[in-house]
Amino acid sequence: MTRKSLFKHLPTTLFVASTSLAAVVHAAAPTELLAGYSGQAQAPSSATRGQQFFTGTHGGDWSCSSCHGAVPTGGGKHASTGKPITALAPAVNPERFTDPAKVEKWFRRNCKDVLTRECTAAEKADVLAWLLSLKP
Amino acid sequence: MPNISHPSSRPVVALLHLLGLLAGLGMGIAAWADGEQQTRQVPLLPAYQQECAACHMAYPPAYLPAESWRRLMHTLPTHFGSDASLDTATAAAVSDWLGSHAGTYKRVREAPPENRITRTRWFIKKHDEVPAATWARPAIKSAANCSACHPQAEKGDFNEHRIRIPR
């Protein structure tokens, strides 16, 4: 791109960049995410079920707690690398469950690691309901 | 930007923006900190820092040849027993960056088994004094846990004078 054409396209480039940035940083409240998952599941969520799901191993080696701790108001530790992981409960760590794309990415990856399949909307709703019930 | 009233302040403003940007991105530094080798520092691509340092530290791109990074980036859904899959656009950006900052130094030339830094010949040679039992200590767990013994590893500093092996 020549200097001249760069300047000609700069306003559009900036516009595109700023709108896509707005899409990326679109923040949601954890409660909105929960409502979304419960809506998809077409059933109310259960914090008790969420706790069982989170701490259970589902026939494999790992549970969610293996990396996030049995009570995720404290920090966790990656089960194979040892890298510290900050608390998952939004009451302790307000950044959690505010970026829908990040939440979906990690549900997809971690559910595959623990359950060898993706989590259902109902399971995500239960986990989130439990995490939201935890107080520091 | 119609800011013509203070033309002299512009470079300063630009510099401040740049500094703010660098600080804001949490710019990490990767260095080839080999005693005999001149230190080479590469600022980490923010997407690399964000996506490839969630489960372990951001490994310096210079520690593996381009071929190893390419293979790693093509097998992310089955990454050392973890699902590390990425969307296509992010994966492409990270791949490009790794490819252009991969190791070129002669000891990094060959692609190691499993695409592991810890299986390269230079790594094994540099660590031949570390006994097998040390690697297995709970505070270390894995040779890939560089920061356990190199406290400044996240900054790309592997200098032998700053090594602290946990008990």
Side-chain angles (χ1 to χ4, degrees):
Chain A
M1 206 185 257
T2 63
R3 239 186 124 92
K4 210 169 152 202
S5 76
L6 176 70
F7 277 110
K8 211 170 77 195
H9 292 292
L10 199 56
T12 1
T13 315
L14 282 179
F15 175 73
V16 171
S18 60
T19 44
S20 57
L21 196 66
V24 170
V25 298
H26 170 78
T31 46
E32 283 172 43
L33 273 176
L34 174 56
Y37 288 136
S38 303
Q40 267 174 277
Q42 295 184 314
S45 59
S46 152
T48 317
R49 264 197 324 254
Q51 177 174 19
Q52 280 163 3
F53 180 87
F54 198 88
T55 51
T57 51
H58 310 274
D61 293 338
W62 281 341
S63 68
C64 309
S65 298
S66 305
C67 294
H68 293 293
V71 188
T73 46
K77 214 172 172 201
H78 194 283
S80 54
T81 66
K83 186 175 163 114
I85 301 174
T86 54
L88 212 50
V92 179
N93 188 350
E95 276 173 34
R96 294 298 190 190
F97 298 94
T98 55
D99 176 349
K102 185 183 178 196
V103 173
E104 275 298 294
K105 180 177 74 184
W106 285 102
F107 264 135
R108 189 188 70 231
R109 290 173 170 176
N110 292 340
C111 290
K112 281 201 188 151
D113 284 349
V114 173
L115 304 123
T116 63
R117 62 164 173 84
E118 294 201 25
C119 288
T120 63
E123 287 163 340
K124 295 177 194 174
D126 290 347
V127 165
L128 188 47
W130 178 56
L131 292 172
L132 280 168
S133 74
L134 299 175
K135 297 284 165 270
Chain B
M1 272 164 275
N3 179 8
I4 33 170
S5 46
H6 307 288
S8 62
S9 69
R10 277 190 165 192
V12 181
V13 171
L15 184 67
L16 284 177
H17 271 112
L18 185 66
L19 287 175
L21 196 66
L22 295 182
L25 294 174
M27 186 75 81
I29 301 292
W32 176 254
D34 187 335
E36 311 133 41
Q37 192 64 14
Q38 209 190 357
T39 304
R40 203 176 69 193
Q41 299 188 316
V42 180
L44 297 186
L45 181 77
Y48 179 71
Q49 177 74 49
Q50 173 155 355
E51 303 297 345
C52 303
C55 302
H56 46 66
M57 65 165 283
Y59 297 118
Y63 283 180
L64 282 177
E67 176 60 16
S68 303
W69 290 122
R70 203 187 57 75
R71 288 189 208 157
L72 283 165
M73 293 305 295
H74 278 92
T75 51
L76 287 178
T78 53
H79 180 78
F80 302 98
S82 278
D83 184 339
S85 54
L86 279 179
D87 64 275
T88 338
T90 312
V94 171
S95 289
D96 281 356
W97 181 79
L98 283 170
S100 54
H101 294 91
T104 47
Y105 185 53
K106 63 179 186 309
R107 278 193 288 168
V108 187
R109 202 174 40 197
E110 281 166 59
E114 292 178 44
N115 308 308
R116 280 186 184 267
I117 298 169
T118 51
R119 299 282 304 271
T120 56
R121 271 196 260 166
W122 71 262
F123 184 94
I124 293 165
K125 198 165 149 243
K126 282 285 176 194
H127 296 84
D128 61 359
E129 283 170 25
V130 180
T134 305
W135 296 119
R137 283 181 193 160
I140 301 171
K141 282 177 85 165
S142 163
N145 189 6
C146 319
S147 7
C149 306
H150 300 276
Q152 308 289 316
E154 296 276 3
K155 294 182 198 133
D157 178 356
F158 292 90
N159 191 292
E160 55 185 311
H161 302 299
R162 280 182 283 282
I163 293 168
R164 222 197 78 256
I165 298 179
R167 294 278 116 210

